Amino acid sequence: MQKTSYGQQSTRRILLVDDHSLLRAGMRALLDDMAGIAVIGESGDGLEALEFIRRDPPDAVLLDVSLPGMNGLEVARYLSQHYPDVRILILSMHSGAEYVARALNAGAQGYLLKDSAFDELAEALKALFAGREYLCAAIDRDVVERFLATGSDAISAAEVLTPRQRQILQLIAEGRGPREIADRLNVSVKTVEAHRAQLMDRLGIHNVPGLVRFAIRIGLVNTES
Amino acid sequence: MQKTSYGQQSTRRILLVDDHSLLRAGMRALLDDMAGIAVIGESGDGLEALEFIRRDPPDAVLLDVSLPGMNGLEVARYLSQHYPDVRILILSMHSGAEYVARALNAGAQGYLLKDSAFDELAEALKALFAGREYLCAAIDRDVVERFLATGSDAISAAEVLTPRQRQILQLIAEGRGPREIADRLNVSVKTVEAHRAQLMDRLGIHNVPGLVRFAIRIGLVNTES
DNA sequence: ATGAGGTATCGGGGATTCCCCGATATTAAA
DNA sequence: TTTAATATCGGGGAATCCCCGATACCTCAT
C-alpha cells in the first residue's frame, strides 16, 4: 500500500456502472443523499467504464455483473490488476455461492444483492473505505469460503461436486426419486439421501426445485430431457 | 373505485412493486423528487402488492415482471380486471416484442425498460395519467402490433393451465413447499396438493423436477430466480 | 505411522410431502 | 337444467425429506 490513506477523508468519489439507466439514476439519487459520497460519473458499459477510470480514477466502483460488451467480473479483474486502490463493490441479483466466489476471485471487495436493504449499501461502502471486505448479510460465508478454497474460477461451479454427487444431482434433476436412484446405483436409499444432503450443503441450495434449476444452469440436464 | 377523472389533480399516489429492495429504494428516491408524485408504498412480492392495493388503491403501480410468488403479468391481469382505474406501468429488462405484447395483453398501459432514460419514467407516468398508453422509445410498435394481432402462440403451452394452477406451478418451481404455499395463499395444504395433482395430470408430468423444467421452458421462472 | 479430513456407505426417526381416494360449493357451458 | 370445470377441503398410507450419528476407505501431511 502506498498513499492508500483510508482514514477520514472529505468525500469519496464513486463511479456507477450498470446497464440499466433507470437503476443508475435511482442509485445516484440514493448515494447523493449520503454524506461524504459523491457520484462522479456513470456508465452502462464495461469498456466505457474502464475509459472513464483511466481518465479519472474514482475511489470506488459500484459494478453490476451483467454488462454488455465486457461483463462486470472482467472489469473487476482488470481494475484489481491495474487500479488496486479502486474499491470494487459488486451489485448482483444472484446470491448463489458460485457467483459470490467468482466475484471475489475477480478482485471485488464487496458483494451486494439488488434486493439488499438500503442500509447495507451504506454499510458496504463504509466497510470498503475502511479497507475491509463486505458481503451482503443474506450470503452464507462458509459456503463461499469453500468455493474460494477449491479455487473454482470459471463455469466450474459444478467442479466443487464429486463425480458421485454430480451423478446423483443429474438423476434428481431428471425426476428420479431416491428409490429409483438407489436401485439404479445399487446402494441404499439412505446413501442417496446422504449424497443429496451433502451436495445441497455444498451448493447452498436446500430444496429440490433449486437443484433442478442449478443442474439446468450448468448444463447437466436440459429442460426437455 | 371512484371516477377516473384524469384531469388536474394534486398528487398521484404510486405503489412500487419490485423484488429488489435496493432498486425500489432508488426508484422511490427518483419519484420523490418528481412533482405531483407520491410513493405510498412498496412491495417485493406480487401477493403482498395485491393486498396493499385492496386496502388502499393507488393511482398507479410500477410493476416489475419477475416477482416471487405471483409474477408481474398475473398481477397486471388481476388489476386490470378488478381495479381498472389503477394505471399499470410495467418495468422490464426485456425489449422483445413478445414480452411487450404479453404485458399489454395482461392489461398494462405502459412498458418501460430498466435501462430506459430517466426522462422516460416521467414521460410514461404523465402519459398514463392522461389516459394514454406509453411504450418505451426503444420498442418497435409495429412488431408489437403484429404480435397482438396474431395472438402469439408460443405461450400457448401454459394456456392449458388456469391462473391458479400457473401460480401454484410457479411457486413450486421456485422451491416453495406445500406448507409455505398454503400459508401464502391462505388455503389448506390439501388444496395446494389438489392443484398440484390437477396440473400434473393436465401436463402429463408426474414429478416435481419435471414441473420445474416445464416452468423454466415456458418462462414462468428462470434458472436463477 | 498416525491422525486429520474428505468421500461413500448406511441406519433411526420424526416431520413433511406425495399420491391415491372422495366430498362440496361455485360458476360456466351445453 | 343438467353437465363440466374449477377451487376448495379431508383421510390415509407410502414415500420423501431432513435432522441426527456411525462405519469404512483413501489421501495427505505431520
Side-chain angles (χ1 to χ4, degrees), chain A residues 156-192:
Chain A
S156 49
E159 303 290 326
V160 291
L161 298 182
T162 68
R164 196 56 150 176
Q165 287 169 345
R166 265 197 302 279
Q167 187 179 19
I168 302 275
L169 172 59
Q170 177 174 346
L171 288 164
I172 291 175
E174 285 172 356
R176 327 281 177 186
R179 167 88 272 145
E180 184 181 349
I181 297 177
D183 289 346
R184 187 179 292 227
L185 302 182
N186 288 313
V187 294
S188 155
V189 170
K190 281 301 188 181
T191 300
V192 175

Side-chain angles (χ1 to χ4, degrees), chain B residues 102-119:
Chain B
R102 272 210 261 180
L104 296 183
N105 266 330
Q109 285 87 34
Y111 194 99
L112 269 190
L113 292 178
K114 287 194 177 173
D115 66 337
S116 296
F118 166 67
D119 290 343

Side-chain angles (χ1 to χ4, degrees), chain A residues 63-192:
Chain A
L63 242 192
D64 187 18
V65 268
S66 67
L67 292 174
M70 184 185 220
N71 78 53
L73 296 189
E74 313 245 24
V75 174
R77 209 166 278 123
Y78 181 90
L79 286 182
S80 62
Q81 202 75 21
H82 301 273
Y83 296 85
D85 288 345
V86 177
R87 311 279 90 178
I88 300 170
L89 177 54
I90 293 286
L91 242 190
S92 166
M93 349 194 274
H94 307 303
S95 61
E98 73 272 22
Y99 291 98
V100 184
R102 274 207 260 176
L104 295 183
N105 265 332
Q109 286 86 35
Y111 194 98
L112 268 191
L113 292 178
K114 287 193 179 176
D115 66 338
S116 296
F118 166 67
D119 290 343
E120 289 199 283
L121 175 59
E123 199 56 46
L125 287 175
K126 196 163 65 176
L128 258 58
F129 288 133
R132 302 193 312 271
E133 280 195 345
Y134 185 90
L135 295 190
C136 163
I139 288 168
D140 187 332
R141 281 169 182 278
D142 294 341
V143 180
V144 175
E145 293 299 339
R146 225 165 309 157
F147 267 86
L148 286 174
T150 60
S152 74
D153 184 279
I155 325 103
S156 49
E159 303 290 326
V160 291
L161 298 182
T162 68
R164 196 56 150 176
Q165 287 169 345
R166 265 197 302 279
Q167 187 179 19
I168 302 275
L169 172 59
Q170 177 174 346
L171 288 164
I172 291 175
E174 285 172 356
R176 327 281 177 186
R179 167 88 272 145
E180 184 181 349
I181 297 177
D183 289 346
R184 187 179 292 227
L185 302 182
N186 288 313
V187 294
S188 155
V189 170
K190 281 301 188 181
T191 300
V192 175

Side-chain angles (χ1 to χ4, degrees), chain B residues 162 164 187-188 190-191 195 202:
Chain B
T162 68
R164 196 55 150 178
V187 294
S188 155
K190 281 301 186 179
T191 300
H195 283 304
R202 190 157 303 187

Side-chain angles (χ1 to χ4, degrees), chain B:
Chain B
M1 284 156 262
Q2 84 289 27
K3 319 286 154 295
T4 339
S5 77
Y6 286 123
Q8 191 132 68
Q9 188 173 316
S10 49
T11 57
R12 304 298 192 168
R13 296 149 37 81
I14 293 189
L15 175 67
L16 289 181
V17 187
D18 190 300
D19 56 334
H20 299 312
S21 151
L22 261 183
L23 187 141
R24 283 203 308 273
M27 296 304 294
R28 167 165 249 165
L30 284 182
L31 292 168
D32 280 347
D33 287 345
M34 228 176 260
I37 297 288
V39 176
I40 61 165
E42 38 182 279
S43 171
D45 172 283
L47 281 174
E48 191 183 286
L50 285 188
E51 281 175 35
F52 190 104
I53 293 167
R54 272 187 218 109
R55 283 197 310 273
D56 182 13
D59 294 312
V61 184
L62 199 55
L63 243 193
D64 188 18
V65 269
S66 69
L67 292 174
M70 184 186 224
N71 75 52
L73 296 190
E74 309 260 11
V75 174
R77 209 167 278 124
Y78 180 91
L79 286 183
S80 61
Q81 201 76 22
H82 300 274
Y83 297 84
D85 288 345
V86 177
R87 310 279 89 176
I88 301 171
L89 177 53
I90 294 287
L91 242 189
S92 165
M93 342 195 278
H94 306 300
S95 60
E98 69 273 24
Y99 290 98
V100 184
R102 272 210 261 180
L104 296 183
N105 266 330
Q109 285 87 34
Y111 194 99
L112 269 190
L113 292 178
K114 287 194 177 173
D115 66 337
S116 296
F118 166 67
D119 290 343
E120 289 199 282
L121 175 59
E123 199 55 46
L125 287 175
K126 196 161 65 175
L128 258 58
F129 288 133
R132 301 193 313 273
E133 282 196 344
Y134 185 90
L135 295 190
C136 163
I139 289 169
D140 187 332
R141 282 170 180 277
D142 294 341
V143 182
V144 175
E145 294 299 338
R146 227 165 307 159
F147 262 86
L148 285 174
T150 62
S152 56
D153 51 57
I155 319 110
S156 58
E159 300 294 334
V160 292
L161 298 181
T162 68
R164 196 55 150 178
Q165 287 169 346
R166 268 196 304 275
Q167 187 180 17
I168 301 277
L169 173 58
Q170 177 178 347
L171 287 161
I172 291 174
E174 284 172 358
R176 328 280 177 184
R179 164 93 273 137
E180 185 181 350
I181 297 177
D183 290 345
R184 189 180 287 232
L185 301 183
N186 288 312
V187 294
S188 155
V189 170
K190 281 301 186 179
T191 300
V192 175
E193 291 179 335
H195 283 304
R196 174 173 45 69
Q198 283 170 354
L199 73 90
M200 275 180 163
D201 284 352
R202 190 157 303 187
L203 298 175
I205 299 171
H206 295 285
N207 59 70
V208 172
L211 289 184
V212 178
R213 294 198 307 269
F214 177 80
I216 291 172
R217 205 183 316 147
I218 67 174
L220 243 194
V221 299
N222 56 47
T223 57
E224 345 284 349
S225 102

